[in-house]
Amino acid sequence: MVLIGMLDSPYVRRVAISMKLMGVAFEHRPVSVFRHFDEFRAINPVVKAPSLICDDGSVLMDSTLILDYVEATVSSERRLMPLNVAHRREALRLTGLALAACDKCVQIVYEKEQRPKEKLHEPWLKRVVGQANAAFGELELAAAKARPWLQGARFTAADAAVACAWRFGQFYDSAEVPAIKYPALVAYSKRAEALPEFLSTPLD
């Protein structure tokens, strides 16, 4: 399998780290949706990262859908998504918050770096920043209870999503998402980023 996309995307990084944690072999091609638009379009005409080229040549996109497929290819003990229904529901709740945080942080980046300054709409930016902090606020409550991970001793799909979301937010939007407000997430992120699978998959 071949993973397409840049690791400065929290979605691409989430997939890469998750596949490593599950022991799934893959090739990573750092193709940018901005700098390598035509190259990316030749792989996936929608030009959406991450994209995954499966062994049979099929192309999947969207980090959650890609990981759903990858989990189906491995044995149950290697999967990151919990099998227990209640635990799975909690993992999905946390993952949803992490992905919402990612979406809003990406929007903040686009507002700052892609939109011409004269067309910046401050009320919209303020709203998006508020939504990002609302998501991280909920995740801060969960991180404060982590022992050492969000759902106990085992690192799950929720951990991969939350850790990647926080790292991305701090790398690009630390002014809008001040770390001082989220001490538990800061400590949690340090533990996650120290794992071999994270160290070998740096955002920067």
Side-chain angles (χ1 to χ4, degrees):
M1 291 187 280
V2 183
L3 178 62
I4 310 296
M6 305 296 292
L7 292 177
D8 62 357
S9 160
Y11 311 106
V12 176
R13 190 170 186 239
R14 173 196 179 201
V15 171
I17 289 171
S18 297
M19 291 179 74
K20 289 180 179 182
L21 287 164
M22 288 188 279
V24 177
F26 68 97
E27 173 191 345
H28 174 231
R29 293 184 194 168
V31 183
S32 170
V33 297
F34 293 107
R35 297 189 303 278
H36 315 124
F37 186 86
D38 290 337
E39 181 182 352
F40 208 127
R41 185 167 56 183
I43 299 167
N44 179 352
V46 180
V47 192
K48 180 176 174 60
S51 290
L52 182 75
I53 305 174
C54 301
D55 292 335
D56 67 353
S58 301
V59 177
L60 300 177
M61 57 183 160
D62 186 276
S63 61
T64 297
L65 302 181
I66 289 170
L67 289 175
D68 184 72
Y69 168 74
V70 172
E71 291 224 356
T73 69
V74 301
S75 57
S76 58
E77 63 271 12
R78 290 164 58 192
R79 295 173 187 167
L80 296 180
M81 187 61 72
L83 297 178
N84 175 276
V85 173
H87 295 167
R88 184 183 185 89
R89 182 180 63 237
E90 178 62 6
L92 291 172
R93 186 186 75 85
L94 294 168
T95 299
L97 288 167
L99 293 178
C102 284
D103 290 348
K104 299 309 171 184
C105 283
V106 168
Q107 288 183 39
I108 295 169
V109 172
Y110 286 174
E111 288 293 325
K112 294 189 297 184
E113 299 183 6
Q114 299 298 320
R115 190 183 300 279
K117 289 185 178 180
E118 66 273 15
K119 294 185 178 180
L120 182 66
H121 187 50
E122 286 292 346
W124 172 251
L125 180 59
K126 182 177 180 180
R127 172 176 171 166
V128 173
V129 169
Q131 289 175 290
N133 279 282
F136 282 124
E138 293 297 314
L139 293 172
E140 171 73 6
L141 298 176
K145 302 175 184 176
R147 298 293 185 273
W149 307 117
L150 296 173
Q151 295 187 268
R154 186 172 182 269
F155 194 97
T156 72
D159 291 292
V162 172
C164 288
W166 177 255
R167 179 74 180 99
F168 177 84
Q170 289 304 291
F171 189 81
Y172 283 106
D173 301 322
S174 60
E176 293 80 12
V177 183
I180 194 170
K181 292 174 57 178
Y182 307 103
L185 277 171
V186 170
Y188 168 82
S189 175
K190 288 181 180 178
R191 295 195 296 274
E193 294 292 339
L195 295 174
E197 294 83 1
F198 281 76
L199 289 171
S200 64
T201 318
L203 181 149
D204 51 352

